[in-house]
């Protein structure tokens, strides 16, 4: 996302404080097990941990060797073992097997389990059932929030989405409330809280309980309005193909915990290279939110500017050369290295994303968003066995489902069930909404014709809520209008001018109206789970321009679960349970998901 550099915009809070707090607490917990120890780290914690504490720091606090948790027998020779894990029953059972295996072999060690961000009662129950509750010590590392950039903070909990929205497991709600409470205690108080969605409301209530139980110190507010938005309020946006630079990098190379690994095809070397993508990268910070069609022009100009900076060396005397080498050369070399990487990444993406099939995919998505050429879209999907995000006629649903299962395997029956449960793939049920006119017509024709008419009327009667929302909020710009991607006039530019993200539009509308008043029909179509508790009078902020009253306040938007890399705005801070894109969303639907 990254903030825009506006002179009248407020300064962002210093979120590096979150890292320092997490690091200090981790050190304290490690020191509770004095002496040499081996540290076993769960795989999906390794990248977040690397952003907090490097190997050198861990070794300074008596960590001898580091291992990745792999659910296989361990071969550590150390007398003390520390496990840093998520509160997952499967991992706890593996630890129990490890401890029991040591006991059977006559090995006696000290064991410590550090759960992060918190431990659950179910995990302690497993320890007790496995007979090792008294053999291990347990603790919590309250590592709730990881700053990925100046204005993006993540809980790095991708399982939140599947657990809560698909399986109905609400165990992470308290975690969300605790994360919000941490942000509130460090950078609050908040001016006003808006929310939409059932889970968002539960997170808010959990946070309020924690606020009431803790002591509140008077402090200057660094964050203004807060928005809590459930992911299931807007499934369409993350399913659309991203066309801004950062979004394409995520789609193709997979950004993980703010870091991406570029292969030899990008680095032009024999090995891959990990690169941190944030606002500290001067090249990336300027192109991350640019539509991909504008990126090469910028990179070309950047290369010319860099060459001009190098050419300044000519004609310098010794004193000037010494100053140039000590003050500028290192920065120029770093910028040159980053420029080469982003040019290589752009070339690689160009090869993959300018092919005819990608253009057809975008055309199909745009047609679906507009509600036009649906038959051509079905044909495209049949050819590519791709996903569909709107309501399908029974014959189309069955045909696509059959073709997909034949191509990819019968195990995806559960995947279809999951998609249907979340409303991502829905079959129209004929006869669900028969009108009076339809009944009268049915009496005048034979049964076969009546069945066809029933299907037609039903198709008209059961338009999706998205289509109505799109019209109500003007999410799809009028067809035929020229859209200048170099000078975008609204948020639709992140999808080539075809679609304004629903979640972003909701925030804009709420801020303009100072609440949900006037949006009753919209919230009804979104299941009516909107709410706005009575807090202090808010500051005012416009999504497209800063108002006079906003120069001392920031807006905070929390997506439960997750946000995506095409979300762009001005001075917004995004807090998310995890970063998402279409591929990750669909992977969460698979039943081999752990």
């Amino acid at each position: 996302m990254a903030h825009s550099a506006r002179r009248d915009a407020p300064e962002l809070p210093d979120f590096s404080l979150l890292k320092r707090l997490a690091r200090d607490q981790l050190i304290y917990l490690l020191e509770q097990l004095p002496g040499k120890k081996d540290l076993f780290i769960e795989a999906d914690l390794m990248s977040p941990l690397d952003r907090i504490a490097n190997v050198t720091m861990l070794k300074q606090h008596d960590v001898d060797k580091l291992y990745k948790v792999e659910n296989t027998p361990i071969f550590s020779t150390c007398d003390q073992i520390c496990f840093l894990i998520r509160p997952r029953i499967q991992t706890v059972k593996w630890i129990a097997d490890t401890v029991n295996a040591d006991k059977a072999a006559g090995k006696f060690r000290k064991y410590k389990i550090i759960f992060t961000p918190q431990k659950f009662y179910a995990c302690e129950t497993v320890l007790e059932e496995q007979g090792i509750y008294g053999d291990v010590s347990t603790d919590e590392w309250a590592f709730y929030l990881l700053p990925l950039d100046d204005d993006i903070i993540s809980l790095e909990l991708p399982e939140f989405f599947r657990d809560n929205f698909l399986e109905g497991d609400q165990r992470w709600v308290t975690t969300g409330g605790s994360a919000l409470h941490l942000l509130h205690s460090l950078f609050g108080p908040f001016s006003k809280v808006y929310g939409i969605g059932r889970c968002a409301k539960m997170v808010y209530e959990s946070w309020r309980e924690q606020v009431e139980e803790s002591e509140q110190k008077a402090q200057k507010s660094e964050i203004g309005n807060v928005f809590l938005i459930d992911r299931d309020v807007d499934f369409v946006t993350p399913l659309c193909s991203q066309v801004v630079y950062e979004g394409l990098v995520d789609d193709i190379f997979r950004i993980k915990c703010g870091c991406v690994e570029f292969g030899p095809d990008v680095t032009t070397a024999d090995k891959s290279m990990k690169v941190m993508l944030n606002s500290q990268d001067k090249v990336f910070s300027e192109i991350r939110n640019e539509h991909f069609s504008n990126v090469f022009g910028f990179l070309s100009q950047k290369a010319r500017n860099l060459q001009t900076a190098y050419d300044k060396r000519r004609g310098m005397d010794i004193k000037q050369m010494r100053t140039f080498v000590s003050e500028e050369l290192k920065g120029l070399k770093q910028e040159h290295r980053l420029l080469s990487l982003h040019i290589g990444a752009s070339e690689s993406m160009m090869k993959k994303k300018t092919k005819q099939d990608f253009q057809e995919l975008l055309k199909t998505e745009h047609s679906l968003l507009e509600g036009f050429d649906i038959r051509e879209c079905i044909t495209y999907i049949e050819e590519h066995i791709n996903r569909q995000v709107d309501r399908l006629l029974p014959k189309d649903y069955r045909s696509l489902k059959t073709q997909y299962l034949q191509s990819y395997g019968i195990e995806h029956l559960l995947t279809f069930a999951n998609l249907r449960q979340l409303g991502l793939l829905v079959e129209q049920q004929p006869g669900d909404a028969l009108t009076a006119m339809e009944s009268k017509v049915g009496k005048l024709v034979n049964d076969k014709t009546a069945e066809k008419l029933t299907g037609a009327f039903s198709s008209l009667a059961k338009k999706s809520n998205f289509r109505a929302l799109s019209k109500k909020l003007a999410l799809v710009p009028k067809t035929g209008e020229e859209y200048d991607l170099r000078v975008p006039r609204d948020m639709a530019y992140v999808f080539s001018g075809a679609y304004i993200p629903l979640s972003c539009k909701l925030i804009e509308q709420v801020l303009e109206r100072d609440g949900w008043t006037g949006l009753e029909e919209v919230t009804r179509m979104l299941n009516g789970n909107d709410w706005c508790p009575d807090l202090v009078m808010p500051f005012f902020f416009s999504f497209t321009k800063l108002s006079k009253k906003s120069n001392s306040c920031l807006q905070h938007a929390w997506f439960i679960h997750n946000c995506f890399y095409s979300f762009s705005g001005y001075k917004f801070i995004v807090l998310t349970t995890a970063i998402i894109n279409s591929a990750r969303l669909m992977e969460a639907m698979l039943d081999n998901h752990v």
Side-chain angles (χ1 to χ4, degrees):
M1 179 174 152
H3 57 277
S4 303
R6 295 177 62 104
R7 294 179 182 177
D8 57 345
E11 290 296 322
L12 289 165
D14 181 13
F15 292 123
S16 63
L17 176 60
L18 296 169
K19 287 185 179 181
R20 295 197 297 272
L21 287 173
R23 184 186 306 119
D24 291 347
Q25 188 186 16
L26 178 61
I27 291 171
Y28 172 79
L29 293 173
L30 290 174
E31 289 178 345
Q32 298 305 299
L33 194 64
K36 293 287 184 182
K37 52 192 157 286
D38 285 350
L39 180 61
F40 285 77
I41 308 168
E42 200 152 16
D44 60 349
L45 279 172
M46 298 192 87
S47 292
L49 179 62
D50 193 47
R51 299 287 298 264
I52 298 296
N54 55 32
V55 175
T56 303
M57 193 218 79
L58 293 174
K59 288 188 175 294
Q60 288 173 351
H61 297 277
D62 295 326
V63 173
D64 187 22
K65 295 179 181 178
L66 285 84
Y67 299 91
K68 182 168 71 172
V69 170
E70 294 181 318
N71 294 329
T72 57
I74 67 172
F75 299 99
S76 170
T77 58
C78 193
D79 291 334
Q80 299 191 116
I81 297 181
C82 185
F83 300 96
L84 182 60
I85 64 170
R86 295 289 191 198
R88 296 172 181 146
I89 290 176
Q90 181 181 356
T91 309
V92 175
K93 285 183 176 179
W94 170 77
I95 294 174
D97 291 342
T98 300
V99 174
N100 285 325
D102 282 352
K103 289 163 68 176
K107 294 181 182 178
F108 298 97
R109 322 190 213 214
K110 286 186 177 180
Y111 306 93
K112 183 180 182 68
I113 304 175
I114 301 176
F115 293 99
T116 184
Q118 65 189 88
K119 62 182 174 182
F120 295 136
Y121 173 76
C123 295
E124 293 185 311
T125 301
V126 171
L127 294 175
E128 191 172 353
E129 289 174 349
Q130 298 295 318
I132 66 162
Y133 189 80
D135 299 314
V136 301
S137 60
T138 61
D139 224 321
E140 289 182 337
W141 180 29
F143 179 28
Y144 292 109
L145 300 173
L146 174 66
L148 299 180
D149 206 344
D150 294 342
D151 55 1
I152 302 177
I153 311 170
S154 175
L155 276 73
E156 290 300 293
L157 284 175
E159 63 257 56
F160 192 115
F161 172 69
R162 183 182 174 94
D163 286 353
N164 187 83
F165 293 106
L166 189 59
E167 298 179 355
D169 185 345
Q170 298 170 3
R171 59 181 173 150
W172 296 112
V173 167
T174 304
T175 305
S178 299
L180 199 59
H181 183 241
L182 176 61
L183 205 68
H184 177 264
S185 61
L186 294 176
F187 307 106
F190 306 140
S191 301
K192 203 164 190 176
V193 180
Y194 300 98
I196 185 163
R198 182 168 170 266
C199 184
K201 190 168 186 178
M202 288 190 292
V203 167
Y204 167 79
E205 290 170 348
S206 172
W207 164 62
R208 288 302 302 171
E209 287 177 6
Q210 295 178 55
V211 169
E212 291 168 3
E213 292 171 0
S214 61
E215 293 183 10
Q216 295 300 304
K217 298 178 181 179
Q219 64 186 66
K220 180 183 177 182
S221 175
E222 296 186 65
I223 297 176
N225 297 333
V226 173
F227 296 85
L228 304 178
I229 304 176
D230 278 5
R231 175 74 282 158
D232 63 357
V233 167
D234 180 14
F235 278 130
V236 173
T237 300
L239 285 170
C240 292
S241 296
Q242 303 182 81
V243 287
V244 296
Y245 180 76
E246 186 172 11
L248 283 170
V249 170
D250 186 42
D251 278 348
I252 295 175
F253 300 104
R254 283 288 180 114
I255 300 174
K256 184 178 181 181
C257 203
C259 187
V260 66
E261 185 170 348
F262 288 133
D265 59 324
V266 173
T267 62
T268 64
D270 295 332
K271 58 182 181 180
S272 299
M273 181 185 298
K274 287 188 176 182
V275 180
M276 195 69 69
L277 297 179
N278 55 34
S279 55
Q280 303 303 311
D281 181 336
K282 292 182 180 179
V283 178
F284 177 70
S285 64
E286 294 188 58
I287 62 174
R288 65 191 307 176
N289 293 328
E290 289 292 327
H291 190 277
F292 191 64
S293 61
N294 302 332
V295 169
F296 271 105
F298 170 83
L299 294 176
S300 298
Q301 183 60 48
K302 193 75 174 177
R304 288 192 290 270
N305 294 343
L306 203 58
Q307 187 60 52
T308 301
Y310 274 119
D311 291 343
K312 289 195 306 181
R313 295 174 295 176
R314 297 173 183 174
M316 286 184 178
D317 56 32
I318 295 178
K319 184 178 180 181
Q320 290 172 326
M321 182 63 74
R322 186 184 297 115
T323 303
F324 175 79
V325 171
S326 63
E327 296 180 4
E328 297 183 48
L329 187 59
K330 185 178 180 181
L332 289 173
K333 285 185 176 180
Q334 173 71 359
E335 200 167 343
H336 183 269
R337 184 184 71 86
L338 293 171
L339 182 62
S340 297
L341 284 173
H342 290 298
I343 289 175
S346 297
E347 289 173 343
S348 178
M349 290 189 290
M350 182 71 78
K351 292 175 185 177
K352 298 173 182 176
K353 291 297 188 181
T354 54
K355 293 179 180 178
Q356 186 66 25
D357 58 345
F358 182 64
Q359 299 303 320
E360 290 178 0
L361 173 61
L362 290 180
K363 180 182 176 183
T364 301
E365 287 182 4
H366 296 172
S367 295
L368 286 170
L369 290 167
E370 294 169 359
F372 297 145
D373 301 326
I374 300 299
R375 179 49 48 195
E376 291 184 17
C377 295
I378 296 295
T379 301
Y380 173 85
I381 296 170
E382 286 175 338
E383 291 172 355
H384 295 267
I385 310 297
N386 211 322
R387 64 185 179 277
Q388 170 68 303
V389 196
D390 205 358
R391 192 173 298 273
L392 297 174
L393 290 172
K395 64 175 183 177
D396 294 326
Y397 177 89
R398 289 191 290 269
S399 173
L400 290 174
K401 182 177 178 180
T402 301
Q403 291 180 63
Y404 192 95
L405 293 173
Q406 288 173 345
S407 297
Y408 293 100
I410 199 69
E411 65 271 14
H412 285 290
L413 272 172
L414 292 174
T415 305
F416 277 89
N418 292 338
L419 290 169
R420 183 165 186 152
Q421 182 179 331
L422 289 179
L424 287 171
L425 191 65
V426 181
E427 175 187 7
Q428 279 188 334
Q429 300 299 327
D432 282 353
L434 300 180
T435 63
M437 181 186 296
E438 190 178 346
S439 300
K440 291 179 181 178
V441 171
K443 296 176 181 178
L444 302 176
V445 296
N446 59 44
D447 293 341
K448 190 173 182 180
T449 307
E451 184 179 346
K452 291 182 179 180
L453 285 171
T454 298
F457 276 105
S458 179
S459 176
L460 291 172
K462 292 182 69 64
K463 289 182 179 178
S464 71
N465 281 348
F466 173 75
R467 195 75 61 229
L469 282 167
S470 176
K471 184 176 180 181
K472 183 74 176 177
L473 296 174
L475 299 180
V476 178
K478 294 181 180 178
T479 307
E481 290 185 0
E482 289 189 10
Y483 198 97
D484 189 350
L485 295 172
R486 293 183 180 276
V487 188
R489 61 177 181 266
D490 55 35
M491 295 174 283
Y493 89 95
V494 298
F495 295 120
S496 300
Y499 166 65
I500 296 173
L502 170 58
S503 45
C504 305
K505 190 71 173 181
L506 282 174
I507 294 174
E508 178 191 60
Q509 291 293 307
V510 170
L511 287 170
E512 285 182 354
R513 300 164 186 265
D514 186 26
W516 296 102
T517 304
L519 294 172
E520 292 82 4
E521 187 177 351
V522 170
T523 59
R524 179 181 57 77
M525 288 185 281
L526 293 170
N527 298 322
N529 291 315
D530 62 290
W531 43 273
C532 176
D534 293 326
L535 299 181
V536 186
M537 277 299 291
F539 294 97
F540 294 97
F541 188 93
S542 167
F543 200 77
T544 51
K545 62 182 180 180
L546 289 163
S547 71
K548 293 181 179 179
K549 295 183 181 180
S550 68
N551 56 7
S552 63
C553 129
L554 294 163
Q555 312 304 309
H556 168 73
W558 186 3
F559 290 84
I560 306 173
H561 150 80
N562 49 47
C563 71
F564 55 102
Y565 282 116
S566 286
F567 180 81
S568 300
Y570 287 103
K571 283 293 186 176
F572 273 72
I573 302 162
V574 173
L575 169 61
T576 175
T577 51
I579 301 292
I580 197 172
N581 59 18
S582 58
R584 292 188 184 98
L585 181 60
M586 299 309 292
E587 285 166 6
M589 300 295 105
L590 303 177
D591 262 80
N592 60 359
H593 187 87
V594 178

